[in-house]
Amino acid sequence: MIVELPVMKIVKTAQSKLEGIDFNNLPFGSTFTDHMFVCDYANGAWQTPEIVPYGPLSMDPSASVLHYGQAVFEGMKAYKDDEDKIWLFRPDENHKRINKSSVRLHIPEFPADYFFDGLNALLKLDAAWIQKGLGNSLYVRPFVFANTAGVQAAPGNRYKFMIICSPVKAYYSGELKVKIEDRFSRAAPGGVGYAKAAGNYGAQFYPTSLAQKEGFQQIIWTDAASHQFLEEAGTMNVFFRINDTLLTAPVNDSILDGVTRKSVIEVAKSKGIAVDIRPVEVSEILEAQKTGALKEIFGCGTAVVVSPISGFGYRGDQFEVKPIENSFASELKETLLGIQYNTLPDPFGWRYEVR
Ligand code: COI
């Protein structure tokens, strides 16, 4: 069935996949909903957006994204409350950030009305894929890439913006231990570290696989110049609790400006927790671990929400971070989830209802 909307064409799937889905057994991001949003850029403008059945793309083998990695993405989540209302969390931040990332990768910015109309229409169409209950959500993945045909290493004139959705539960199951990396680098001043560029993630896979062989799940990256300052972990920004103060690195051109990170900071401040935003030295964390001042480490991000880190490694030594009572990570996570799932008031105005 084809429905013509003023600014969007919607083609519904003839056969939903929903019935065959085991929602209790969902490896993160491996199952996708019935539909996807697609919008092409050609002739100097974004064309009429479409929602079509989820499925493979056909593209020229010389498309620039395949050769030069010109692609950026976002991560968001949609939640369903007890009254079947669907909520997003600060989606305007994701829209702003995908455009900021796009500018850095020389991709045309995507208009806000296309982004929000696409999100609303797609989430309403695939609403049955969003399970109720804490811990269930729909991971929403907007992304945009260059598909100009031709291997000239130069900006092209064709791009594709898409949104796909995946029903998810927790990102990490089990413990989360991180290695402080002092050999490989994720980002350098003047580079693309602040952008959600596809290559920032792909380039982490090899060093992360080495860390995994040593028993860690993730890496905490250090600055490329000196390896003395802690930056971010693979898919998360990182916080350290030193006695009763939360410490985190300031965002700069090497660190992603995480939506969960800035929300954690605001929620913490609203609870009267002191937050110190300044460069974090590896040596001070080692010292705090030695003296017992290091009470917690946690990572945060859309996919992981807030995840306690139970240990870390540095230059062959391993350190444990024991669980504590009255953990800041638990308290902050509970508040964030309450806002996201519409079970707590939202004094910040962060919830966005999908209509
Ligand atoms: C997110 O939290 O949305 C991320 O970017 C993590 C993703 C790479 C799985």
Side-chain angles (χ1 to χ4, degrees), residues 266-281:
E266 282 192 60
V267 171
K269 285 183 178 167
S270 76
K271 289 176 182 291
I273 296 172
V275 186
D276 204 358
I277 303 172
R278 59 164 176 80
V280 183
E281 278 197 73

Side-chain angles (χ1 to χ4, degrees), residues 28 73-76 139 141 171 196 201 235 256 301-304:
F28 189 94
F73 71 93
E74 270 304 316
M76 313 164 70
Y139 186 74
R141 170 55 64 88
Y171 189 79
K196 227 162 156 61
Y201 294 76
T235 60
L256 187 84
T302 299
V304 300

